[in-house]
Amino acid sequence: MTVATLQEGLIISTSDFLSRRLRAVSLSRRRFIASALSAGSVLTLPLTLPERAAAAASARAETAPGLAATTLPETRWHLTARPWRPTGRAASEFLDVGESIARVHATRQAADGSIMDAYTGREQQYQTPYFAASVAMLVANGRALDLLPQGIAAMDRATAVFEQGRSRIPDDHGEFFVAALAKALPLYRSSVSAAQYDTWRSRLTTPLARVLRGMTHNWRTYAMKGEWLRARGGYVDRVVATRWIEKSWTETQRGRLTGNRWNQYSDRTSDPDTHVYDAAARSNLFSLVIDGYDGPSRVEMITVLLNGARTSLLMQEPSGQNPAGGRSGGHVWNDVYSGNVFAQMAEYHRQRDPRLAGQYRHAALLNLASIGRWRRDDGSYSVTKNHFDPAARVGYADYSWFQNYNGNVMFHSLESYELTRNPIDERPVPAEIGGVGFATDATVFASAFANAGGMHMQASMAGSTEQVYGQYWTVLGVSRFGRAGWDSRVGPSDGVRDPGSGRAASFAPVFEEDGAWKRLADLPGRYEGTPSFDFVHPLLVRWSIVYAPTKGLSGPTFRNEFVVTPDGVLSTITSTGGPFGVTLPVVENDGRALDVRYTDGIVSVSYPWLTDEQNFIALQDGARLDTGSALIRGAVGDVRPARLTVSGAATNEVFVYPRSAGDPTAADVRSTFDRSGADFSSSLGRVQGSVYIGRTSAGGYADTIDIRGDGQPEVTFSAACNVVLQLDAGVVTAVEVDREVTATIQGRTRRLVAFTPVSWVGSGSQTPDPPGPADLVVVASSEQPGRPAVSVLDGDASTRWSTRGLGQYLTVDLGVEAAVAGVGLAWYRGADRVATFDVLSSSDGTHWSTVAAGRTSSGTSAEPESLSLDGVTTRFLRIVNRGNTENDWIALTGVDLLRG
């Protein structure tokens, strides 16, 4: 299964979604089926709802033809809606996390070397071997040398119980011992006597059958990782270990990753299933690849794991959080595992794809920043994402223990450090760029994601109907709003449901029935959602959820339309029934009281000591806010389910506005908000059809863009295209498009190449135009008679340069050293075969460096195809032949460079 490239975004075929959806009664069988994607078409909801909504959806579907896709989007955009900067975090901060927790663990060590939980007073699960391994890793990196004796004591204890098998391993968690101990053993070799080392080594030869509990979900991946480390270290027979790993892969793990379109790991332990354990399982399995696993399934593992990692990158919330919902959702270690996956991917792609590597590195560092918000004063971390006393176990599963899950954060943060020591430049991630809109089409996850310009949403199309390990893990409705550069703790709530009363809150419809108000979040057995994406662009996403009763049940149907912009989200709800409204989930206390204000049609939430605030803005006259419902406690804290209604209105309209210091106030946004059908404007900016105009960016699908709103476009294109413009005080400073066009911007004209951002300079600048064909010189290593190198510059697709032989090349000389944003290559017979090539750069024509290795053409087009080089500064570029799917020839009909 593969994840194919998508240029603009994703639209989901709603009729396919509805026809394929399943809901059965039992926990093990009730599953969610998201849409089968319809290539080249967009269908509107076949439901009896207000004609205005249906007509608007149909009209929007026609605004950007060609934006449909058959698979998950791989965003190719570069420009961000807001000024972007790297995190600036150093890899050593992963060491800091590990050391701070290790020092807390050291205070909990018993005389026999075991680590005792601070709240239960006993050794649990795998906290002792994780401490032993973490101390070894810290000492190996020159840290925590004073903890070495305690690490040795923990190692002695953990290997002893490992040898004795399941009956002695705390809580029967032997799967988690294998990798930690195999990793730690060689690191301790120089710190203990030969006799001590030999004893530990002998203990580590204990057969797996005596150690493992035998679980086949994510637990098995821990054992697979550990068994390969044991085989590589010579503690067990390599052939036998490989045979067991292969059997585990083919019989218990492969299907969990290949059973859905997005290659997300299905743990099958909650319903809906959990995104959390995708990261845990993926990091364990990919560690096999990193550690040199050479079994027969290696290539298959790599393919599936790489695809799923790209999916995970699209799901990341801008503050660095793993997706919400599912078993163990809301635990801090979720983000540590995601960071570990992203660190692995960055290292894997470091020389293969520098831009993708930079995105993964940035994503890993965002994860690191995310967990820092839950660091406690003593250096430990909260188990779940709140600041309550750990003794209260807020949001904990039955299996959640303070010391053990801190050990999880400790050990895997140190593993991330090992993967981040090579320098990689950070690049913006999809969560900051936007252009994301999709629903999982797996049979279990029931989630949907949208992001425009760094404004992120996640919603659950189904809610948990039964408790699993003491919690309802997923709540029906919108579970998360986040925004790039903003603290997402303030809103809304990740969806909360109290396991005692069953009361729940999410951003979702509420309705009156039999004289009482009902929240959809409270009714997961009665309602489910169906998502539909009408328009997806990096700066603008229009999508909706239809909440309808499950088969055989009754109740009104609701349509919740969303317009997502870099500034916030416009929510509009319509209903087929009587009085209705929306629940605003307001976090009032996360162990510390938040500043909450219910005034003038606006709900504002913030920490008293921080500037970021969440605002729910009621847009209609006569809106009524009821805050009388009792607080609901969930993993994020205490949430007030405020009810917003508008008596007699056909719609319920709310603008969700995450505000930072310097942004217009919520009151100003409300007073200036003007809606006209599906479009609107405010002091933040305006949306007109498929175009968004904001303070720092503008764009959409258009052939002209009027930035000032005076009827005179400042930007025109030779053909309609998807475009992103960066702005500074209304002046265009950068542009990126999704196809080759000629643009005239602020009186200056130039040709643009797809997905190659160009810094735009006004007409008063003396900066020269980019090089054209007349400015370039090409030289080839060899030429087929009649197919000279100069043919790539003549603008004639019927002529070509060609030659035979791997390693043959074409060199392009710009004449002067310049920043090259990208290269456009038109391949002879490009629609019939796939060419593989490298791109090298040089400042002097003698010393070369690789800027893109093992790249491939699409194999579907003879038209020019763009490759972004992200502003490499060079005089010479060289295209090196690596063959094609038919033979070892290379043939190009055109080459173009764009300086940016």
Side-chain angles (χ1 to χ4, degrees):
M1 307 186 79
T2 59
V3 177
T5 298
L6 175 67
Q7 296 181 354
E8 297 87 4
L10 180 93
I11 294 176
I12 287 180
S13 165
T14 307
S15 62
D16 282 349
F17 183 103
L18 291 169
S19 66
R20 293 172 180 261
R21 186 175 55 195
L22 291 178
R23 301 281 287 190
V25 176
S26 74
L27 177 64
S28 61
R29 294 179 181 271
R30 183 175 64 81
R31 292 295 181 255
F32 167 101
I33 295 184
S35 75
L37 301 175
S38 174
S41 65
V42 179
L43 304 178
T44 54
L45 277 165
L47 296 172
T48 305
L49 290 169
E51 291 296 323
R52 180 198 61 77
S58 177
R60 288 195 299 275
E62 298 174 357
T63 59
L67 283 184
T70 58
T71 187
L72 184 73
E74 176 189 348
T75 171
R76 297 174 62 188
W77 296 90
H78 299 73
L79 296 182
T80 58
R82 295 171 178 268
W84 181 85
R85 61 181 61 87
T87 66
R89 292 180 176 270
S92 60
E93 293 185 49
F94 287 110
L95 282 174
D96 296 339
V97 173
E99 182 174 358
S100 70
I101 298 174
R103 293 196 175 280
V104 175
H105 267 47
T107 67
R108 303 301 307 171
Q109 190 169 41
D112 64 359
S114 61
I115 303 300
M116 311 300 284
D117 188 83
Y119 296 90
T120 66
R122 70 178 183 90
E123 183 183 17
Q124 289 171 298
Q125 298 179 9
Y126 44 88
Q127 57 204 40
T128 300
Y130 272 31
F131 175 72
S134 296
V135 170
M137 296 163 74
L138 286 165
V139 170
N141 287 286
R143 293 286 197 97
L145 302 182
D146 59 309
L147 298 184
L148 180 58
Q150 290 178 268
I152 292 171
M155 186 70 176
D156 196 49
R157 162 72 178 185
T159 55
V161 299
F162 184 81
E163 182 182 37
Q164 295 169 64
R166 291 180 58 191
S167 63
R168 289 297 307 279
I169 293 174
D171 302 324
D172 207 357
H173 272 59
E175 278 84 347
F176 297 83
F177 274 58
V178 192
L181 296 180
K183 192 178 192 73
L185 183 59
L187 298 178
Y188 278 118
R189 185 163 194 167
S190 63
S191 301
V192 298
S193 68
Q196 180 76 86
Y197 176 81
D198 289 342
T199 297
W200 291 351
R201 192 181 191 283
S202 176
R203 293 170 176 173
L204 276 186
T205 64
T206 302
L208 276 181
R210 291 183 55 195
V211 174
L212 302 187
R213 187 170 173 179
M215 307 289 276
T216 59
H217 61 320
N218 75 90
W219 281 32
R220 179 60 60 92
T221 69
Y222 288 88
M224 293 167 69
K225 171 183 177 178
E227 192 65 354
W228 179 246
L229 288 177
R230 289 210 301 172
R232 199 181 66 166
Y235 317 139
V236 295
D237 183 86
R238 190 181 183 110
V239 174
V240 174
T242 299
R243 187 181 304 127
W244 182 82
I245 292 170
E246 286 293 314
K247 181 179 176 65
S248 295
W249 170 255
T250 57
E251 294 185 3
T252 72
Q253 300 304 304
R254 175 202 280 153
R256 294 177 183 273
L257 286 158
T258 60
N260 62 86
R261 187 185 304 268
W262 312 139
N263 295 149
Q264 288 286 288
Y265 188 87
S266 177
D267 201 60
R268 303 171 191 160
T269 51
S270 67
D271 189 11
D273 211 334
T274 173
H275 290 294
V276 170
Y277 287 105
D278 173 79
R282 190 176 305 280
S283 66
N284 289 330
L285 293 171
F286 204 76
S287 70
L288 293 171
V289 175
I290 291 174
D291 290 329
Y293 180 68
D294 55 4
S297 297
R298 173 184 168 86
V299 173
E300 181 183 41
M301 287 180 181
I302 291 173
T303 300
V304 172
L305 294 170
L306 291 180
N307 289 345
R310 291 202 181 206
T311 305
S312 298
L313 190 63
L314 291 169
M315 294 177 176
Q316 185 185 41
E317 187 260 339
S319 69
Q321 295 187 93
N322 197 58
R327 184 170 73 89
S328 288
H331 284 61
V332 171
W333 60 259
N334 298 357
D335 302 336
V336 176
Y337 275 112
S338 289
N340 197 248
V341 169
F342 296 147
Q344 289 173 331
M345 293 297 138
E347 183 61 22
Y348 180 84
H349 290 288
R350 181 165 56 89
Q351 294 182 318
R352 296 175 174 86
D353 187 338
R355 184 201 174 212
L356 184 57
Q359 288 189 307
Y360 278 127
R361 173 61 60 84
H362 185 59
L365 295 175
L366 286 174
N367 287 132
L368 174 66
S370 176
I371 69 168
R373 295 177 292 175
W374 292 283
R375 189 178 189 273
R376 291 161 49 83
D377 291 342
D378 66 354
S380 65
Y381 286 73
S382 298
V383 170
T384 50
K385 295 178 177 179
N386 59 67
H387 293 274
F388 290 99
D389 185 336
R393 295 178 60 82
V394 175
Y396 285 33
D398 293 345
Y399 49 73
S400 303
W401 306 108
F402 184 78
Q403 230 68 45
N404 190 69
Y405 273 174
N406 263 269
N408 212 336
V409 173
M410 170 179 61
F411 178 54
H412 295 297
S413 291
L414 293 174
E415 287 192 316
S416 291
Y417 169 73
E418 294 178 336
L419 295 159
T420 53
R421 287 178 288 191
N422 287 318
I424 297 175
D425 291 336
E426 296 181 57
R427 302 292 177 87
V429 294
E432 298 165 324
I433 296 170
V436 173
F438 72 98
T440 55
D441 77 333
T443 59
V444 290
F445 294 108
S447 54
F449 300 84
N451 187 302
M455 183 69 218
H456 179 90
M457 292 181 64
Q458 180 187 343
S460 297
M461 301 298 107
S464 299
T465 59
E466 299 179 28
Q467 290 186 34
V468 177
Y469 297 106
Q471 295 290 336
Y472 295 102
W473 292 109
T474 304
V475 180
L476 178 66
V478 177
S479 54
R480 188 174 280 175
F481 291 111
R483 203 208 70 201
W486 182 78
D487 194 334
S488 58
R489 287 179 295 182
V490 296
S493 66
D494 281 8
V496 297
R497 189 175 185 192
D498 176 56
S501 66
R503 298 173 59 249
S506 66
F507 187 95
V510 61
F511 65 100
E512 190 174 28
E513 183 179 66
D514 298 328
W517 285 95
K518 308 283 188 179
R519 290 190 295 270
L520 255 63
D522 289 339
L523 306 172
R526 182 177 171 186
Y527 274 87
E528 62 185 354
T530 301
S532 176
F533 289 80
D534 300 319
F535 180 77
V536 177
H537 180 276
L539 299 181
L540 181 64
V541 175
R542 293 182 183 269
W543 75 294
S544 61
I545 302 171
V546 169
Y547 298 101
T550 57
K551 186 176 181 180
L553 299 179
S554 62
T557 294
F558 305 91
R559 180 186 181 93
N560 197 164
E561 295 185 356
F562 303 101
V563 183
V564 189
T565 75
D567 305 307
V569 179
L570 173 62
S571 164
T572 304
I573 299 176
T574 54
S575 172
T576 61
F580 71 98
V582 66
T583 298
L584 307 180
V586 182
V587 183
E588 294 196 358
N589 191 303
D590 72 347
R592 306 163 303 178
L594 279 76
D595 186 359
V596 181
R597 299 173 300 281
Y598 299 98
T599 57
D600 300 325
I602 300 171
V603 180
S604 295
V605 186
S606 62
Y607 288 101
W609 55 91
L610 296 176
T611 57
D612 288 351
E613 64 182 26
Q614 176 66 294
N615 297 280
F616 298 103
I617 303 175
L619 298 176
Q620 296 160 284
D621 293 335
R624 181 177 184 274
L625 187 65
D626 187 327
T627 61
S629 294
L631 292 169
I632 301 172
R633 177 160 288 188
V636 300
D638 295 335
V639 175
R640 179 85 63 189
R643 182 175 69 244
L644 180 68
T645 57
V646 185
S647 180
T651 62
N652 183 286
E653 302 172 10
V654 176
F655 189 69
V656 182
Y657 175 40
R659 179 181 178 271
S660 297
D663 290 338
T665 66
D668 183 63
V669 172
R670 187 171 193 261
S671 66
T672 59
F673 204 95
D674 182 28
R675 180 166 186 178
S676 176
D679 300 334
F680 60 90
S681 64
S682 73
S683 55
L684 297 169
R686 66 185 190 275
V687 172
Q688 295 174 301
S690 59
V691 174
Y692 160 81
I693 310 291
R695 293 163 296 155
T696 59
S697 61
Y701 182 80
D703 56 7
T704 64
I705 296 181
D706 178 7
I707 297 173
R708 290 192 295 265
D710 58 2
Q712 301 296 318
E714 290 82 11
V715 180
T716 62
F717 300 98
S718 57
C721 61
N722 288 285
V723 57
V724 174
L725 304 169
Q726 288 183 336
L727 307 177
D728 183 2
V731 176
V732 177
T733 58
V735 60
E736 184 177 6
V737 294
D738 71 337
R739 63 204 67 182
E740 185 174 326
V741 294
T742 299
T744 301
I745 301 178
Q746 297 160 172
R748 190 172 177 81
T749 301
R750 67 189 298 178
R751 188 167 55 84
L752 304 177
V753 176
F755 301 109
T756 304
V758 175
S759 297
W760 199 268
V761 182
S763 58
S765 171
Q766 298 303 309
T767 301
D769 285 327
D775 303 309
L776 305 177
V777 175
V778 290
V779 178
S781 57
S782 64
E783 300 172 341
Q784 180 188 15
R787 311 294 188 198
V790 71
S791 299
V792 301
L793 301 180
D794 63 9
D796 186 350
S798 67
T799 65
R800 66 182 184 274
W801 163 70
S802 60
T803 190
R804 183 175 187 176
L806 302 181
Q808 298 294 321
Y809 58 81
L810 180 78
T811 301
V812 183
D813 181 357
L814 281 69
V816 295
E817 195 167 38
V820 179
V823 57
L825 302 176
W827 297 92
Y828 172 65
R829 295 187 59 224
D832 304 316
R833 60 190 185 185
V834 176
T836 301
F837 60 97
D838 300 337
V839 180
L840 282 63
S841 69
S842 173
S843 295
D844 57 12
T846 301
H847 302 90
W848 296 87
S849 60
T850 301
V851 294
R855 296 306 180 87
T856 58
S857 64
S858 69
T860 61
S861 175
E863 296 298 313
E865 297 181 350
S866 300
L867 172 66
S868 174
L869 300 179
D870 288 332
V872 62
T873 299
T874 188
R875 174 175 171 175
F876 300 92
L877 278 181
R878 178 170 288 178
I879 314 301
V880 182
N881 179 35
R882 299 301 178 204
N884 61 65
T885 48
E886 292 182 352
N887 50 48
D888 61 356
W889 282 78
I890 183 172
L892 287 163
T893 62
V895 174
D896 186 28
L897 303 182
L898 186 62
R899 189 161 58 194

